[in-house]
Amino acid sequence: MDIATLRQRHPDHWMKACAIRTLTLDAVAAANSGHSGMPMGMADVATVLFEKHLRFDPSAPRWPDRDRFILSAGHGSMLIYSLLYLTGYEDMTLEQIRNFRQWGAITAGHPEYGHVTGVETTTGPLGQGIANAVGFAMAEESLRAHWGKKLQDHHTWVIAGDGCLMEGVSQEALGLAGKQQLSRLIVLWDNNGITIDGKVSLSDITDQKARFAASGWDVFECDGHDPEDIDRALSAAKASPRPAFVDCKTHIALGSSAQDTSKGHGALTDAKLIADTKSAYGWDHAAFEIPAAIKAQWEAMGERGLAARKDWEARLAALSEGKRGEFERIFRAEAPAKLASAIRAVKKQAVADMPKLATRAASEKVLAAVNPVMRETIGGSADLTGSNNTKTPDLGVFTPEDRKGRYVYYGIREHGMAAAMNGMALHGGIRPYGGTFMCFTDYARPSMRLSALMGLPVTYVMTHDSIGLGEDGPTHQPVEHLAISRATPNMLVIRPADMVEVAEAWEIALSSQKTPAVLALSRQNLPAVRKTHSNRNMVSMGAYVLEEAGAKRQAILMATGSEVEIALKARDLLEAEGIGTRVVSMPCWELFEEQPDAWRRKVLPPGPVRVAVEAGVRMGWDRWLCGEGGRRDKAGFVGMEGFGASAPADRLYREFGITAEAVAAKAKALLGL
Amino acid sequence: MDIATLRQRHPDHWMKACAIRTLTLDAVAAANSGHSGMPMGMADVATVLFEKHLRFDPSAPRWPDRDRFILSAGHGSMLIYSLLYLTGYEDMTLEQIRNFRQWGAITAGHPEYGHVTGVETTTGPLGQGIANAVGFAMAEESLRAHWGKKLQDHHTWVIAGDGCLMEGVSQEALGLAGKQQLSRLIVLWDNNGITIDGKVSLSDITDQKARFAASGWDVFECDGHDPEDIDRALSAAKASPRPAFVDCKTHIALGSSAQDTSKGHGALTDAKLIADTKSAYGWDHAAFEIPAAIKAQWEAMGERGLAARKDWEARLAALSEGKRGEFERIFRAEAPAKLASAIRAVKKQAVADMPKLATRAASEKVLAAVNPVMRETIGGSADLTGSNNTKTPDLGVFTPEDRKGRYVYYGIREHGMAAAMNGMALHGGIRPYGGTFMCFTDYARPSMRLSALMGLPVTYVMTHDSIGLGEDGPTHQPVEHLAISRATPNMLVIRPADMVEVAEAWEIALSSQKTPAVLALSRQNLPAVRKTHSNRNMVSMGAYVLEEAGAKRQAILMATGSEVEIALKARDLLEAEGIGTRVVSMPCWELFEEQPDAWRRKVLPPGPVRVAVEAGVRMGWDRWLCGEGGRRDKAGFVGMEGFGASAPADRLYREFGITAEAVAAKAKALLGL
């Protein structure tokens, strides 16, 4: 259909959709930057979605039973900003749209979660939104099973482009969704045939419908500019018992001279092009001006959800106080009061038993104590359940047949798992954790960064955290991965040394509301190093004195996780020679950095030589070796300088020189002894 | 078919295949670690492949026209070690197999490139092998187009399991291969229905054949234990004009009590299980014993390629000396003599012109000078060609219609691109480079790590390397990514400041034979900072004095890339106040670390206060702030503490306080002024 026909057949719809298109053109022109073509191409689909299907209430943007709308193709951010402004989200003012992409505006280049109500997840890195959406839909299924349809009964809608579908993570997401038969998940494909480099066919010939169908999705298609056809397809997709993929055939930058070209993907800022396009639309209003009648029609869409939301609130209010409090608590991502006592009990028992245990096994024991008192947890692993120790007996398995199950077999999909966990945390009501080998942080990395950027309390259970992994060899042995996670802002990297520290680490992770945690856990058994019980969570201090010097203090040994044992043995060697040696356990640098200067000085006083030992690269350690009055020429590091090797773990530690003897020797050399 | 029938129908084949199976059982039992089931399941397919199809010569394992055999399911390493031992690769002795997974043995837990001849690529991290294979097949197509079938005319064979196919990177790989119609690529799917956590159906219901077909592959299937059926399918796959996917229906851990179970995936070490299995096989030889007759049959397979290889060598010898030299040079990954003069010319011109240019644009100019003299380069981008500036006019485009084209439109597939580049570098004869935004190092990360681990001279052109990216906002602004790449062993991270440094960076990257390079390039324009020509490659020193103090030296400012300009301006401010200030450009830490102590001391003498400025996180900088006699209390850092924001670049630098004024103020504060 040409534009004239579209205008003529559905004049009301046309003008509503053109409100999106012209706001986009105006905002991008004002910013002299952005992406015009995608909102222009998907305006019709979005209009029908918001008008006829989406369950939402702009006056209550955090309503827990709203439909979730995810713009996976985040570069088209003016689409969602326009929708939020037009339907009447309070924070999305015209002023914000005028300041698109400017300092201090909430209208960032890509939609940022937490900046804008109505933006459910940060998108832009392609493929993330569609993979988050799988988590949203899983969260809804889980909560519906637990709380009933009265409280949770909604859909997750995604707009995805070719970029999202070419990214590998999309395959992980669609595979997981297909297996899980997530019938409330609907992906609308902006099938415009264009990427930045040119036509999609330059790089891909995939039949996307066949691809989704191959993984158990129902597939639909529509003319993405015909509102009746769109409505029909969306209705059918919503009715499908499986996840639904809707091929929306669209024209990028519709109606402009850049239509159907890669030029149309970017910023259309030429004044004449904009004027000509608006003229073709039959739109003769000033820049950023939306006629009152059109704005009113949009706001009416926003009002559609009001009654449903009020009904829902009445149902929530009708719950017992305890149940309502619980529902509200989990949506605040607040730990239950019982967590502290459960952790305390584990710690006491650990001090009594002093188990020699891999920290991954200790983690399973902690989870076994915690999962029953935090029913909002959903655990899982990327096909390493027995190795990551992530499954506890009470969880059950989340399947299409049992939505009450709380354990997810994610398959060999680290990236999809991380993205789905982000989606669950974003949905609210669920606290996800998931495991893989620490080395495969690499695979999950793009989504882990987004956990941090969005401030989501997701817990990454990363086991086999060093050469201690042994025979699987260097491809599976993390060396730089602690540094990678520590380099990432707003991420707690916790490497506990024994069961007590593991319990404390979990307490921190499960209490966090705005920060993801990476728990780096050993494959190999470790002795107990915390031998007296303290109610205080020492890991929360970041670092602390585990063992004070016996003789006059001449050396401080710092270590994390499995190397704390080595530091303690090195201390024994040094003390035997009369060299007073303090051992500092440093399970979490980020928390140590947050402590008052006085605490850091107390733990790391100037004067003694310092040796750090960690079975990873040195990067970052100079902060602690040289800070708080330390000196690089009086400090040493025992760790890895390159990749690992394949052999039993003990042998590797010996061959790479990560031993108590090496640590003691380094300290003595620094002391000139 | 049951085992008895298989034995009876094809007794010769059966015993050959059982040689693989029993070596696997024995080696895993000896190591008490490893993966037994996969080699036991795929032994029949591998036997037929090596006996009837694979073009190889164990006496010349680096023969450039051999077929490439890639075990993407690298955990099944005993499959390839058995094959190499049985067919007679000199380094794969029985002693090595007995020492499976032990320190010093070449039989690492997962196959490691460079340890073992016949191992074409390091696998283990799932999905990598199949994605490398796409690069191998592209390299073969490109070289065949350039050198003719006489010199390049072979296939790439891959064995992949469900793990490989569930990883997202497999979708990027198969999408690229489908579009490129890589008819010499054949993937053999070990379809055993089992993963570590249990049945594949726990996590996936994908119809893999339909999925591959959706992206333009031809699909085949066979009974993976019937040698005739395997042979038929492999022949058909080889004849296909498209990439071929062969569904080999197999039984994991065939013939053992762990057959068809996830237990069979891991290490089968129980003595009775092993004895019973061997008995079911009709195999009654001692552990590690291969009867001479069976070994001879295997060695005969290895001898099949000998004549072909000798013919090939005659054809190579018949080339003119110049052509032969060129062919051999590119397979040694050696830069041509002309590179140095081309770079020199660019540097001279740059000093003459002093262009104000983004380093990504400077990079394009360097490539325009270099690509014509290094015809082994293949460039590309993950759908950011215009932004990464990776395409030069002479390259043409690599397509099914034009295999002489040297530019690849990888699509939105950063991970697949990186893995394919690894494959091209591994194949030999090609020097790949490819671009994306620096922030999306995250997506490519698993393959980038493997570039480093394998020691492959791949060049990553990472543009938009800081908040200087501007309006696209924090999802697209790298902050921790320089630290991530620097934390990785054996990776050169080069962040040049102007066109001269860009030229020097490219000279280093293109001359490297064993180390990948990450070029971090700016989006924004930068002034020329190298104002006099020097033939010497200063970037190769890692860091050097760019501007000496005028007044008595009291401060040293260190910077990389786009922040060198800021350091120079800060120097002006400080010198204006009589504070002598040296500016050190530090484009490559790794190379600086490699220099003699004397050079590092010369560049960073103790005494003056030090301020580093880089628009990224501080992690790692303390090495230079505190090393070589520096002191942390006399050192400062100006950079990023968290994620970026969406706004024009200039504004962001101001708001985040990365300015000349801030650098000068920090230096003054450290001087107590």
Side-chain angles (χ1 to χ4, degrees):
Chain A
M1 258 187 279
D2 61 12
I3 285 195
T5 315
L6 290 168
R7 277 175 62 181
Q8 193 186 339
R9 284 222 200 144
H10 305 284
D12 268 15
H13 166 84
W14 177 257
M15 283 299 158
K16 278 178 281 189
C18 281
I20 297 173
R21 293 187 173 104
T22 59
L23 282 174
T24 298
L25 283 165
D26 293 338
V28 171
N32 196 29
S33 143
H35 300 82
S36 313
M38 186 279 188
M40 293 162 72
M42 281 299 274
D44 295 305
V45 172
T47 302
V48 173
L49 173 62
F50 273 63
E51 182 159 19
K52 302 267 175 76
H53 297 278
L54 195 76
R55 172 184 166 94
F56 73 110
D57 176 0
S59 67
R62 304 295 302 161
W63 172 28
D65 200 25
R66 69 193 180 281
D67 278 3
R68 303 312 197 261
F69 169 63
I70 294 169
L71 186 67
S72 190
H75 54 277
S77 54
M78 270 310 302
L79 179 67
I80 192 163
Y81 298 152
S82 300
L83 289 162
L84 298 175
Y85 164 67
L86 290 167
T87 54
Y89 283 73
E90 202 176 350
D91 55 349
M92 189 53 71
T93 61
L94 201 54
E95 194 56 26
Q96 291 288 352
I97 292 196
R98 283 178 187 275
N99 279 307
F100 180 51
R101 295 184 153 230
Q102 302 310 304
W103 179 263
I106 63 176
T107 43
H110 293 81
E112 304 280 341
Y113 172 74
H115 291 209
V116 188
T117 63
V119 166
E120 304 283 3
T121 178
T122 295
T123 53
L126 293 170
Q128 296 296 324
I130 188 172
N132 295 156
V134 174
F136 276 93
M138 288 168 67
E140 195 268 348
E141 293 283 356
S142 172
L143 292 165
R144 180 150 39 85
H146 188 74
W147 293 91
K149 287 185 77 161
K150 280 189 196 170
L151 290 184
Q152 287 286 290
D153 188 16
H154 55 263
H155 286 77
T156 301
W157 302 85
V158 182
I159 289 181
D162 282 291
C164 293
L165 302 190
M166 270 198 244
E167 289 289 357
V169 69
S170 68
Q171 182 64 29
E172 301 185 20
L174 78 91
L176 182 56
K179 154 67 198 174
Q180 289 291 349
Q181 294 178 36
L182 300 173
S183 61
R184 304 300 184 91
L185 174 62
I186 301 162
V187 173
L188 311 174
W189 173 31
D190 178 17
N191 180 9
N192 60 35
I194 294 294
T195 72
I196 291 175
D197 276 355
K199 292 189 174 162
V200 167
S201 58
L202 275 181
S203 56
D204 199 28
I205 57 168
T206 298
D207 176 344
Q208 297 290 0
K209 287 204 296 295
R211 176 185 168 211
F212 277 76
S215 288
W217 289 56
D218 283 335
V219 296
F220 305 89
E221 64 180 41
C222 66
D223 175 337
H225 300 297
D226 177 343
E228 287 177 5
D229 202 40
I230 296 166
D231 184 36
R232 175 199 54 73
L234 267 52
S235 299
K238 221 160 58 173
S240 148
R242 275 169 287 275
F245 179 73
V246 186
D247 173 356
C248 307
K249 294 190 199 313
T250 60
H251 295 283
I252 197 167
L254 181 86
S256 76
S257 58
Q259 180 180 319
D260 302 327
T261 69
S262 59
K263 186 193 165 194
H265 172 92
L268 301 177
T269 55
D270 178 74
K272 182 167 183 310
L273 179 149
I274 294 172
D276 289 350
T277 306
K278 288 187 179 176
S279 161
Y281 290 165
W283 186 275
D284 58 356
H285 311 290
F288 296 107
E289 185 192 329
I290 305 296
I294 296 176
K295 184 75 164 70
Q297 286 182 296
W298 273 103
E299 286 177 6
M301 298 181 207
E303 283 155 19
R304 193 169 40 84
L306 187 69
R309 197 254 304 172
K310 297 226 151 150
D311 289 351
W312 181 90
E313 281 180 351
R315 293 197 295 275
L316 181 70
L319 291 185
S320 72
E321 196 177 329
K323 280 206 162 181
R324 193 171 66 246
E326 179 74 355
F327 186 87
E328 289 169 344
R329 178 186 69 74
I330 62 174
F331 270 86
R332 284 194 306 272
E334 199 176 279
K338 281 181 184 168
L339 175 63
S341 52
I343 293 288
R344 210 151 45 225
V346 170
K347 284 169 64 177
K348 277 187 183 158
Q349 193 64 45
V351 166
D353 297 347
M354 300 252 274
K356 187 171 167 90
L357 209 59
T359 47
R360 63 183 171 125
S363 171
E364 182 175 342
K365 285 182 187 287
V366 175
L367 285 171
V370 159
N371 277 331
V373 301
M374 280 184 88
R375 293 200 37 98
E376 65 268 36
T377 57
I378 288 192
S381 163
D383 199 47
L384 288 168
T385 294
S387 300
N388 299 145
N389 299 66
T390 35
K391 190 165 184 293
T392 61
D394 61 313
L395 289 181
V397 177
F398 181 83
T399 64
E401 296 74 35
D402 182 10
R403 295 306 198 192
K404 288 194 174 173
R406 288 160 55 206
Y407 192 78
V408 181
Y409 287 114
Y410 284 104
I412 301 105
R413 301 182 179 115
E414 300 82 5
H415 196 176
M417 174 176 74
M421 291 201 293
N422 283 345
M424 287 185 230
L426 286 161
H427 181 280
I430 302 289
R431 184 177 284 272
Y433 70 83
T436 182
F437 286 166
M438 181 78 186
C439 204
F440 300 144
T441 343
D442 284 350
Y443 279 80
R445 172 71 209 155
S447 298
M448 291 178 74
R449 183 177 205 248
L450 283 164
S451 304
L453 179 60
M454 290 193 267
L456 304 178
V458 170
T459 306
Y460 293 93
V461 182
M462 299 309 201
T463 71
H464 298 62
D465 67 348
S466 75
I467 52 168
L469 164 139
E471 292 89 343
D472 274 347
T475 52
H476 288 51
Q477 290 163 356
V479 164
E480 69 273 42
H481 299 82
L482 286 166
I484 287 173
S485 293
R486 288 170 179 155
T488 308
N490 193 40
M491 188 173 272
L492 293 174
V493 183
I494 314 184
R495 191 162 187 252
D498 73 355
M499 179 139 174
V500 174
E501 284 198 356
V502 169
E504 293 177 345
W506 269 113
E507 184 172 34
I508 294 164
L510 294 172
S511 306
S512 171
Q513 292 180 292
K514 295 281 181 197
T515 307
V518 172
L519 306 190
L521 304 174
S522 76
R523 176 196 190 195
Q524 69 273 35
N525 282 339
L526 302 176
V529 298
R530 284 274 291 277
K531 298 180 180 173
T532 54
H533 175 70
S534 146
N535 278 342
R536 189 170 178 194
N537 185 321
M538 295 308 296
V539 171
S540 74
M541 307 304 288
Y544 61 94
V545 179
L546 180 65
E547 199 86 54
E548 188 47 284
K552 176 170 175 287
R553 188 168 63 223
Q554 297 182 64
I556 299 177
L557 308 182
M558 299 178 257
T560 72
S562 46
E563 285 73 69
V564 169
E565 173 186 15
I566 292 172
L568 289 169
K569 283 186 187 155
R571 175 183 176 278
D572 291 346
L573 297 175
L574 290 165
E575 293 275 352
E577 298 192 44
I579 303 167
T581 303
R582 166 183 284 192
V583 171
V584 171
S585 179
M586 293 194 71
C588 184
W589 291 8
E590 296 78 19
L591 291 172
F592 192 43
E593 191 72 79
E594 279 178 15
Q595 302 309 312
D597 285 355
W599 178 262
R600 283 200 307 275
R601 281 268 167 171
K602 197 173 154 191
V603 176
L604 296 179
V609 302
R610 298 182 187 175
V611 179
V613 50
E614 185 171 79
V617 296
R618 178 169 178 155
M619 183 172 276
W621 272 104
D622 283 298
R623 161 71 187 90
W624 309 113
L625 291 171
C626 309
E628 278 67 42
R631 281 171 51 180
R632 201 168 196 271
D633 57 348
K634 291 288 175 195
F637 177 73
V638 172
M640 297 294 290
E641 289 186 1
F643 295 107
S646 172
D650 290 352
R651 183 72 187 266
L652 291 173
Y653 271 88
R654 271 204 319 281
E655 294 287 348
F656 287 109
I658 305 177
T659 62
E661 291 71 23
V663 173
K666 178 91 59 174
K668 285 170 67 180
L670 289 166
L671 288 164
L673 301 172
Chain B
M1 261 187 274
D2 61 13
I3 286 196
T5 316
L6 288 169
R7 279 175 61 181
Q8 193 186 338
R9 283 221 199 147
H10 306 282
D12 269 16
H13 165 86
W14 177 257
M15 283 299 158
K16 277 178 282 189
C18 281
I20 296 172
R21 294 188 171 103
T22 58
L23 282 174
T24 298
L25 283 165
D26 294 338
V28 170
N32 195 29
S33 141
H35 300 82
S36 312
M38 185 278 189
M40 292 163 72
M42 280 299 275
D44 296 303
V45 173
T47 302
V48 174
L49 173 63
F50 273 63
E51 181 159 21
K52 302 268 175 78
H53 297 278
L54 195 76
R55 173 185 165 93
F56 73 111
D57 176 2
S59 68
R62 304 295 300 161
W63 172 27
D65 200 25
R66 69 193 181 279
D67 278 3
R68 303 312 197 263
F69 169 62
I70 295 169
L71 186 67
S72 190
H75 54 278
S77 54
M78 270 311 300
L79 179 67
I80 191 163
Y81 299 152
S82 300
L83 290 162
L84 297 175
Y85 164 65
L86 290 166
T87 53
Y89 283 72
E90 201 177 350
D91 54 349
M92 189 52 72
T93 61
L94 202 53
E95 193 56 27
Q96 291 288 354
I97 291 193
R98 283 178 187 274
N99 280 306
F100 181 51
R101 295 185 152 230
Q102 303 309 304
W103 179 262
I106 63 174
T107 43
H110 293 81
E112 305 279 342
Y113 173 74
H115 292 210
V116 189
T117 63
V119 166
E120 303 283 2
T121 178
T122 295
T123 53
L126 292 169
Q128 296 296 323
I130 187 172
N132 295 156
V134 174
F136 276 93
M138 286 168 68
E140 195 268 350
E141 292 283 356
S142 172
L143 293 165
R144 181 153 35 86
H146 188 74
W147 294 91
K149 287 183 79 160
K150 280 188 197 172
L151 290 185
Q152 287 288 288
D153 188 17
H154 55 264
H155 286 76
T156 301
W157 302 86
V158 182
I159 288 181
D162 282 292
C164 293
L165 301 191
M166 270 198 244
E167 289 289 357
V169 69
S170 68
Q171 183 64 28
E172 301 186 19
L174 78 90
L176 182 57
K179 153 67 198 176
Q180 290 290 351
Q181 294 179 34
L182 300 173
S183 61
R184 305 299 186 91
L185 175 62
I186 300 162
V187 173
L188 310 174
W189 173 31
D190 178 16
N191 181 9
N192 59 35
I194 294 293
T195 72
I196 291 175
D197 275 355
K199 292 190 176 163
V200 168
S201 58
L202 275 181
S203 56
D204 199 28
I205 57 168
T206 298
D207 175 344
Q208 297 289 0
K209 287 204 297 295
R211 175 186 169 211
F212 276 77
S215 289
W217 289 55
D218 284 336
V219 297
F220 305 89
E221 64 179 41
C222 65
D223 175 337
H225 300 297
D226 177 341
E228 287 177 5
D229 203 38
I230 296 165
D231 184 35
R232 176 200 52 75
L234 268 50
S235 299
K238 222 160 58 173
S240 148
R242 277 169 285 275
F245 179 74
V246 185
D247 173 356
C248 306
K249 294 190 199 314
T250 60
H251 296 283
I252 197 167
L254 181 87
S256 76
S257 58
Q259 180 180 318
D260 301 327
T261 70
S262 59
K263 186 194 165 196
H265 172 93
L268 302 177
T269 55
D270 178 73
K272 181 169 183 311
L273 179 148
I274 293 172
D276 289 349
T277 307
K278 288 186 180 177
S279 161
Y281 290 166
W283 186 275
D284 58 357
H285 312 289
F288 296 106
E289 186 192 330
I290 305 296
I294 296 176
K295 183 73 164 74
Q297 286 181 296
W298 272 103
E299 287 177 6
M301 298 181 207
E303 284 156 18
R304 195 170 39 84
L306 188 68
R309 196 255 302 171
K310 297 228 153 149
D311 289 351
W312 181 89
E313 280 178 353
R315 293 196 295 275
L316 180 71
L319 291 185
S320 72
E321 197 178 327
K323 279 204 164 183
R324 193 172 65 246
E326 178 74 356
F327 186 88
E328 290 170 344
R329 177 186 70 74
I330 62 174
F331 270 85
R332 283 194 308 270
E334 198 177 278
K338 280 181 184 168
L339 174 64
S341 53
I343 294 288
R344 211 152 44 225
V346 169
K347 284 169 65 177
K348 277 188 182 157
Q349 192 64 46
V351 166
D353 297 348
M354 301 252 274
K356 187 171 165 91
L357 209 58
T359 47
R360 64 183 170 123
S363 172
E364 182 176 342
K365 283 181 189 289
V366 174
L367 285 171
V370 160
N371 276 331
V373 302
M374 281 185 86
R375 292 198 39 97
E376 64 267 37
T377 58
I378 287 191
S381 164
D383 199 46
L384 288 168
T385 295
S387 300
N388 299 145
N389 300 66
T390 34
K391 189 166 185 291
T392 62
D394 60 313
L395 290 181
V397 177
F398 182 83
T399 64
E401 296 74 35
D402 181 9
R403 296 305 197 193
K404 289 196 173 171
R406 289 159 56 203
Y407 192 79
V408 182
Y409 287 114
Y410 285 104
I412 299 104
R413 300 182 179 114
E414 300 81 6
H415 196 175
M417 173 176 74
M421 291 200 294
N422 283 346
M424 287 185 231
L426 287 160
H427 181 281
I430 302 290
R431 183 177 284 272
Y433 70 85
T436 183
F437 286 166
M438 181 80 188
C439 205
F440 301 145
T441 346
D442 283 352
Y443 280 80
R445 173 72 208 154
S447 298
M448 290 178 74
R449 182 177 206 250
L450 284 164
S451 303
L453 179 59
M454 289 193 267
L456 304 179
V458 170
T459 305
Y460 293 94
V461 182
M462 298 309 201
T463 71
H464 299 63
D465 69 348
S466 75
I467 52 167
L469 165 140
E471 291 88 343
D472 274 347
T475 52
H476 288 53
Q477 290 162 357
V479 164
E480 68 273 41
H481 299 81
L482 286 166
I484 287 173
S485 294
R486 287 169 179 156
T488 308
N490 193 38
M491 187 173 274
L492 294 174
V493 184
I494 313 183
R495 191 162 185 251
D498 74 354
M499 179 139 175
V500 173
E501 284 197 357
V502 169
E504 292 177 346
W506 269 113
E507 184 173 34
I508 293 164
L510 295 172
S511 306
S512 171
Q513 291 180 293
K514 293 283 180 196
T515 307
V518 172
L519 307 189
L521 303 174
S522 75
R523 176 196 189 196
Q524 69 273 34
N525 282 339
L526 301 175
V529 298
R530 283 274 289 279
K531 299 182 177 170
T532 53
H533 176 70
S534 144
N535 278 343
R536 188 171 177 192
N537 185 321
M538 295 308 296
V539 171
S540 74
M541 307 304 288
Y544 61 95
V545 179
L546 180 65
E547 198 86 53
E548 188 45 288
K552 177 170 173 291
R553 189 167 63 221
Q554 298 183 62
I556 299 177
L557 308 182
M558 298 178 257
T560 71
S562 46
E563 285 73 68
V564 170
E565 174 188 11
I566 292 172
L568 288 169
K569 284 186 185 154
R571 176 184 176 277
D572 290 346
L573 296 175
L574 291 165
E575 292 275 354
E577 297 191 44
I579 303 166
T581 304
R582 167 184 282 193
V583 171
V584 171
S585 180
M586 294 194 70
C588 184
W589 292 8
E590 296 79 19
L591 291 172
F592 192 42
E593 191 74 79
E594 280 178 14
Q595 301 310 310
D597 286 355
W599 177 262
R600 283 201 306 277
R601 280 268 166 171
K602 197 173 151 190
V603 174
L604 296 179
V609 301
R610 297 181 188 175
V611 179
V613 50
E614 184 170 80
V617 295
R618 179 168 177 154
M619 181 172 278
W621 272 104
D622 284 298
R623 162 70 186 90
W624 308 114
L625 292 170
C626 310
E628 278 67 41
R631 282 172 49 182
R632 201 168 196 271
D633 57 348
K634 291 290 175 193
F637 177 73
V638 173
M640 297 293 292
E641 290 187 1
F643 294 108
S646 171
D650 290 352
R651 183 71 186 267
L652 292 173
Y653 272 87
R654 270 203 322 277
E655 296 286 348
F656 287 110
I658 306 177
T659 61
E661 290 72 23
V663 173
K666 179 92 59 174
K668 285 169 68 180
L670 291 166
L671 287 165
L673 300 172

